[in-house]
Amino acid sequence: MEMRAKEDIEMGEDITPPLLPLSFSLHDSFLSSHCSSCFSPLSIPSPSLPPQAHPPLYCSAACSSAHSPIVSSSAESLLPASSPHPSNLRTALRFLLTLPSPSPCPHLHRFNNGLLTNYHKLSTSPEFAPEIRQGAIAMAAARKLRNGDSALDQSDGVLLEEAVLSLVLTNAVEVQDEAGRSLGIAVYDPNFSWINHSCSPNACYRFSVSPPNATSFGEDSCSSLRIVPNISEEDSGVCSCSDYMKGTIGYEYGPKVIVRSIKRIKKEEEVCVSYTDLLQPKAMRQSDLWLKYQFTCSCRRCAMSPSTYVDHALEEILASNLNSSSSRFDLDHYRDEANKKLSDYVDETITEF
């Protein structure tokens, strides 16, 4: 699956309107300081409490009336206090509420809304399988308790919970504020989630974190969707694009995402963003993408032989950092050095030109 431009797009233009999430959740560390519905900061933060004992906090009555029924219906308050990665579990439980009834078969690699689960890859991955299994059991137990049933039995199946949690791990993005802090995670519909990765992307994305009825800078610059879905031949027999899009049901609130071009994009050209830190050498990018998403990038930048000038410079910077007197690799220091050195290269090139 991929998204392509339906018209010529100039550099620096919004190519989607603000897109609302299908499901989302704050990270535990922000439950006491930010609105659980729109992620905007609270005027008066509350005392920090354990996540399971912390009631959702809201910036307005509108956010409270819209979001609080979801919290009670999702059974997230019944999750064990020791559950790993609670924001993933809360997002998965809330996503379950958006599914049609009866719920789709978890054996499918895509749900009715077209989102990839990666279930078969992740559930057999040494890195993800234990987290998915434990999280699915915790989710299923919480849902049973919500319905007044007895504790989860070993014979009870948790395939649906495993598939939805896999979907969250595959599609969720970190929602960041203007300071670059990761406030929580959100899963968006195919208009965003079908945008593929490239280490040399032609688009980026930003988030609009604001209370209801507030207008953030730049939101009015694009009111229409300027990209369209495209299904490759290998997926063409699964379902039509229109079936996926009309089946998408999400929330009418939450942190919004906007996609913006960073290069000129021609009509029918694929639109790509980056899933990883582009200031990493190829080997580190490939490792990061495999560990998080279970795929090997084969974009033009990664396929270049020999490496691009930028990647060669990044490898030199990495080598010098690893050979320094520091006893451990300092990622922040590496990024600062990479930014400075690449900036110097650009300045030198412009001067020579």
Side-chain angles (χ1 to χ4, degrees), residues 192-264:
F192 177 77
S193 294
W194 280 9
I195 300 177
N196 288 323
H197 163 82
S198 172
C199 293
S200 182
N202 54 17
C204 64
Y205 56 90
R206 70 184 190 279
F207 296 96
S208 172
V209 176
S210 58
N213 302 321
T215 301
S216 297
F217 176 76
E219 271 197 23
D220 294 330
S221 60
C222 179
S223 59
S224 61
L225 192 67
R226 304 173 69 185
I227 52 178
V228 292
N230 183 68
I231 299 181
S232 62
E233 291 183 5
E234 60 190 50
D235 276 334
S236 60
V238 179
C239 191
S240 70
C241 293
S242 59
D243 287 340
Y244 280 143
M245 297 306 179
K246 72 183 181 184
T248 298
I249 302 174
Y251 297 121
E252 295 302 318
Y253 52 90
K256 290 168 276 193
V257 66
I258 304 104
V259 181
R260 187 174 180 83
S261 63
I262 57 175
K263 299 177 183 177
R264 285 183 176 178

Side-chain angles (χ1 to χ4, degrees), residues 25-273:
S25 173
L26 282 170
H27 289 318
D28 286 356
S29 55
F30 291 98
L31 288 173
S32 61
S33 59
H34 285 67
C35 175
S36 289
S37 177
C38 69
F39 284 23
S40 60
L42 300 172
S43 56
I44 305 177
S46 76
S48 182
L49 296 171
Q52 299 309 120
H54 210 304
L57 301 176
Y58 303 106
C59 65
S60 65
C63 279
S64 177
S65 62
H67 188 262
S68 55
I70 302 300
V71 174
S72 58
S73 300
S74 68
E76 59 195 66
S77 62
L78 301 175
L79 287 169
S82 59
S83 297
H85 305 292
S87 56
N88 287 343
L89 301 188
R90 289 193 293 267
T91 303
L93 284 170
R94 294 171 186 179
F95 186 88
L96 281 168
L97 298 178
T98 71
L99 297 178
S101 184
S103 295
C105 174
H107 292 290
L108 294 177
H109 72 298
R110 292 185 189 274
F111 277 103
N112 285 358
N113 54 20
L115 296 188
L116 180 71
T117 68
N118 254 350
Y119 171 69
H120 296 296
K121 283 186 177 181
L122 298 181
S123 61
T124 57
S125 164
E127 294 88 0
F128 290 98
E131 176 186 344
I132 290 173
R133 183 65 181 176
Q134 294 170 21
I137 291 173
M139 289 167 58
R143 297 177 77 204
K144 287 202 74 172
L145 288 173
R146 177 200 62 191
N147 295 333
D149 298 335
S150 58
L152 192 70
D153 189 88
Q154 289 186 348
S155 61
D156 291 335
V158 294
L159 286 177
L160 178 61
E161 287 80 5
E162 286 184 328
V164 170
L165 187 52
S166 297
L167 180 147
V168 169
L169 292 173
T170 298
N171 294 280
V173 290
E174 296 284 339
V175 177
Q176 297 182 337
D177 62 10
E178 292 181 354
R181 296 180 301 173
S182 180
L183 302 177
I185 60 172
V187 176
Y188 295 90
D189 70 18
N191 288 322
F192 177 77
S193 294
W194 280 9
I195 300 177
N196 288 323
H197 163 82
S198 172
C199 293
S200 182
N202 54 17
C204 64
Y205 56 90
R206 70 184 190 279
F207 296 96
S208 172
V209 176
S210 58
N213 302 321
T215 301
S216 297
F217 176 76
E219 271 197 23
D220 294 330
S221 60
C222 179
S223 59
S224 61
L225 192 67
R226 304 173 69 185
I227 52 178
V228 292
N230 183 68
I231 299 181
S232 62
E233 291 183 5
E234 60 190 50
D235 276 334
S236 60
V238 179
C239 191
S240 70
C241 293
S242 59
D243 287 340
Y244 280 143
M245 297 306 179
K246 72 183 181 184
T248 298
I249 302 174
Y251 297 121
E252 295 302 318
Y253 52 90
K256 290 168 276 193
V257 66
I258 304 104
V259 181
R260 187 174 180 83
S261 63
I262 57 175
K263 299 177 183 177
R264 285 183 176 178
I265 305 174
K266 295 180 179 179
K267 182 179 180 180
E268 299 185 358
E269 181 181 349
E270 183 179 5
V271 173
C272 294
V273 297

